Amino acid sequence: MNATDAVTFWDGVYASRPAATDPRPNARLVETVTDLPPGDALDLGCGAGGDSLWLARRGWRVTAVDISAVAAERLAGHARSHGLGELVTAERHDLRESFPEGRFDLVCAHYLHTPFDLDRSAVLRTAAHALRPGGRLLVVDHGSTAPWSWDQDPDVRHPTPREVSAGIALDPATWTVERADASSRTATGPDGSTAEVVDHILLVRRTV
């Protein structure tokens, strides 16, 4: 499958969902970042934009990227309508081909999964290298399949946070794993339905 297929697929996913006027942030972002001082953040796979808007409201300067122009344009509109346009920059990137420029105090990648070819380990390694000293990379993956997920493959395997960390292969002299575990929560889907889901959480801090 080529880049055009991936763009068409993800544009279709977001176009088929009603545009939330004020999308919610991911729970793992809130619990991890609330006590951190604001700085420069990168939101990889921003989707509906709840994480980017939540960060901006707390003073973060956010670069938000998605392969879908529909998602990026919606987020840019939300940011302007909420008076956050100066703090949120929405960009379209196919992470197989390009990566946003800059140095960051936080990079978050929530559910950066796709049915298309993507070297996730390489993308996350690039993200870790884009951190300033003291910055953190937060990777939250599905540990279970929600009823509303686009991927209902019963044989899908969800790598553990430690496996994700091993795949990124960061030098422990420069990066420290602060958290690598699984946690369950009650999630709400795009249609308003709820289900118990498992998150795989990896938090890495750049030390030097």
Side-chain angles (χ1 to χ4, degrees):
M1 296 181 182
N2 59 35
T4 301
D5 294 330
V7 171
T8 300
F9 175 83
W10 287 110
D11 276 345
V13 167
Y14 290 108
S16 68
R17 296 175 179 174
T21 56
D22 195 7
R24 301 181 305 273
N26 283 296
R28 304 308 177 188
L29 177 75
V30 174
E31 71 183 25
T32 302
V33 177
T34 292
D35 294 330
L36 298 181
D40 294 300
L42 173 61
D43 185 2
L44 293 176
C46 63
D51 290 347
S52 294
L53 296 174
W54 183 87
L55 287 166
R57 287 188 175 108
R58 280 148 186 82
W60 291 82
R61 297 173 297 275
V62 186
T63 301
V65 304
D66 204 281
I67 191 173
S68 168
V70 174
E73 290 168 5
R74 280 184 179 177
L75 173 54
H78 288 326
R80 290 191 298 269
S81 68
H82 289 284
L84 301 169
E86 294 185 357
L87 290 173
V88 178
T89 301
E91 303 177 358
R92 197 200 76 80
H93 284 270
D94 182 341
L95 294 173
R96 296 175 299 180
E97 300 174 353
S98 63
F99 195 89
E101 297 181 357
R103 302 280 282 174
F104 303 96
D105 304 292
L106 172 70
V107 180
C108 54
H110 280 78
Y111 315 114
L112 190 63
H113 306 293
T114 178
F116 300 90
D117 292 336
L118 175 67
D119 188 342
R120 265 198 5 138
S121 293
V123 170
L124 295 176
R125 191 177 306 115
T126 299
H129 280 274
L131 290 170
R132 297 188 178 108
R136 289 172 170 84
L137 170 65
L138 174 63
V139 183
V140 182
D141 290 337
H142 293 301
S144 63
T145 301
W148 52 79
S149 173
W150 54 264
D151 185 1
Q152 294 295 325
D153 181 356
D155 298 321
V156 67
R157 182 180 178 278
H158 303 285
T160 68
R162 289 291 178 184
E163 289 172 332
V164 173
S165 177
I168 304 174
L170 296 173
D171 184 348
T174 304
W175 290 271
T176 298
V177 175
E178 293 190 324
R179 181 177 181 182
D181 59 36
S183 184
S184 62
R185 62 185 173 87
T186 300
T188 303
D191 62 354
S193 62
T194 61
E196 193 77 7
V197 300
V198 176
D199 291 323
H200 285 172
I201 306 156
L202 174 66
L203 182 65
V204 179
R205 181 171 60 90
R206 182 166 189 167
T207 55
V208 294

